[in-house]
Amino acid sequence: MFFPAEPPADARSIDWPHGRLTLHRLGAMLAPVVFTAPGQPDFSPMQIAPWHAEPIGAAQVGLMRGLRGDWPCVPFGRTDRPTDLPAGWSARTLHDGWGHGYSAHHDWDWLATDDPLTLALTIALPDADPIARLTRTVRVQPDAAVVDLSLCIEARVPCTLPVALHPTLRLDAGRVALDLPAHGPGLSYPVPAEPGRSRLAPDQRFDRLDAVPTTDGPPADLTRFPQPQDSEDLLQLMALGGPVTARYLDCGWSLELDWDRALLPDLMLWVSHRGRLYPPWNGRHLALGVEPVCGVFDLGRVAAPPVDHPLSARTGLTLTPGQSLVVRSRFSARPLSAAECQP
């Protein structure tokens, strides 16, 4: 992936012996992240929206204008409520109209650091928001292809909010194998994520990511990409037991994502496989969201499941004024051996 010699005016970069990354003020979005190793091609696993350098991209606002890589979502989730949720789902009242939170749509402010391997951003939220401030710190390890991230959440009032991190990986760089640890039940989205373009059978429980029920055919294997069919789908895996690894078989690299699972116990997957045909997507977005979450899919701001639903207790993180909560995560990359490049 093209990496400009200089970051944009609203972004800053870190160069270190194992790569280079860029952090943007808009949404505190992280991408591109390019890992390097002697004798290996550069590895750039983060998605950047295909419209980022097009006129249609410049016309977008907020999150959609800068969509890329990884960013924090506080609170996490959509702001429109599906009209066809299954029986037993109840409506919740929003406190604002910002999808994935105010901070995902606005510029953050740089914080000074004395460490050339660290970048930090902060954002003060509007007075009506239950969150007073967010601070994001990105630091690379000097002797490894490792990026450590932390998100400090400061509440204005006592609240419980769905929270997620939003790593989004590119699927346009050849074959990708997703390796997951043991997990609890998998759950498909309660309605078609994109009407007419979703493959997964809605509101289903499954035990294996390589056998997810579909609407009109054999189960889908969502551990291997690209998929044989285009679609737009959402699903959630509960109680993951360890980090997630994406092996980019044709690139010869792997990327591992690890995070604080005591705070964000589940993983939401966003399979955006050329499923959205309208602008600016135009049937060309090929990416996989691998999103650590404490919430009910991306619905926790607008709806609550029935009490017997497996996600009924996933109401979010409980936040208290004066007690900052820090969520940590990590990306680490390494070249693959020839044997590991096999599907």
Side-chain angles (χ1 to χ4, degrees):
M1 175 167 293
F2 173 72
F3 200 115
E6 296 295 334
D10 61 350
R12 294 181 181 177
S13 293
I14 298 175
D15 287 277
W16 83 110
H18 297 274
R20 186 182 186 196
L21 60 78
T22 295
L23 183 65
H24 296 254
R25 289 185 65 204
L26 177 59
M29 294 185 185
L30 177 66
V33 180
V34 179
F35 296 102
T36 61
Q40 296 288 330
D42 291 353
F43 177 48
S44 181
M46 294 293 187
Q47 162 263 17
I48 296 178
W51 56 84
H52 77 279
E54 300 175 352
I56 194 173
Q60 303 300 309
V61 296
L63 171 64
M64 287 296 291
R65 176 166 52 85
L67 182 66
R68 66 185 59 221
D70 173 55
W71 72 95
C73 302
V74 184
F76 175 68
R78 61 194 291 175
T79 57
D80 59 318
R81 185 183 307 115
T83 59
D84 52 349
L85 287 170
W89 284 73
S90 57
R92 298 193 67 187
T93 302
L94 280 167
H95 74 265
D96 67 25
W98 299 108
H100 290 330
Y102 176 93
S103 63
H105 296 264
H106 291 83
D107 286 345
W108 296 42
D109 297 316
W110 295 111
L111 292 175
T113 70
D114 296 328
D115 182 0
L117 300 181
T118 299
L119 293 172
L121 286 163
T122 190
I123 187 169
L125 280 75
D127 291 344
D129 200 289
I131 301 300
R133 180 176 294 276
L134 300 172
T135 301
R136 190 177 207 205
T137 303
V138 177
R139 186 181 188 278
V140 301
Q141 292 192 8
D143 56 353
V146 174
V147 182
D148 289 314
L149 304 100
S150 68
L151 174 68
C152 179
I153 307 172
E154 301 174 50
R156 178 174 283 115
V157 297
C159 56
T160 298
L161 297 174
V163 170
L165 306 175
H166 208 300
T168 311
L169 308 182
R170 59 188 300 193
L171 293 179
D172 62 349
R175 297 168 301 155
V176 178
L178 194 64
D179 300 330
L180 288 97
H183 58 80
L187 306 162
S188 63
Y189 208 58
V191 297
E194 190 73 33
R197 298 292 293 171
S198 295
R199 290 176 59 207
L200 301 186
D203 204 27
Q204 298 294 305
R205 176 172 173 156
F206 56 90
D207 295 320
R208 293 169 42 186
L209 191 59
D210 62 358
V212 183
T214 62
T215 56
D216 58 359
D221 180 358
L222 296 182
T223 68
R224 298 294 182 268
F225 298 91
Q227 288 285 293
Q229 294 175 248
D230 291 338
S231 68
E232 198 79 17
D233 282 295
L234 296 168
L235 57 153
Q236 188 159 327
L237 305 176
M238 297 187 68
L240 265 74
V244 174
T245 300
R247 286 183 290 130
Y248 282 75
L249 305 178
D250 296 322
C251 296
W253 283 84
S254 74
L255 180 75
E256 182 182 273
L257 167 64
D258 203 359
W259 69 93
D260 189 341
R261 288 178 294 279
L263 295 176
L264 307 179
D266 299 344
L267 189 73
M268 183 166 161
L269 296 179
W270 169 34
V271 181
S272 187
H273 206 286
R274 293 187 286 255
R276 292 175 175 169
L277 303 183
Y278 45 86
W281 309 86
N282 293 337
R284 56 187 173 149
H285 191 247
L286 197 57
L288 178 67
V290 185
E291 307 164 27
V293 63
C294 184
V296 182
F297 301 106
D298 64 350
L299 294 168
R301 303 178 65 192
V302 297
V307 294
D308 60 349
H309 192 280
L311 295 176
S312 62
R314 297 291 203 252
T315 53
L317 297 182
T318 298
L319 303 162
T320 303
Q323 299 179 15
S324 299
L325 183 68
V326 178
V327 181
R328 292 182 170 83
S329 59
R330 168 179 288 185
F331 297 109
S332 54
R334 65 175 180 84
L336 293 172
S337 68
E340 291 174 306
C341 289
Q342 301 303 311

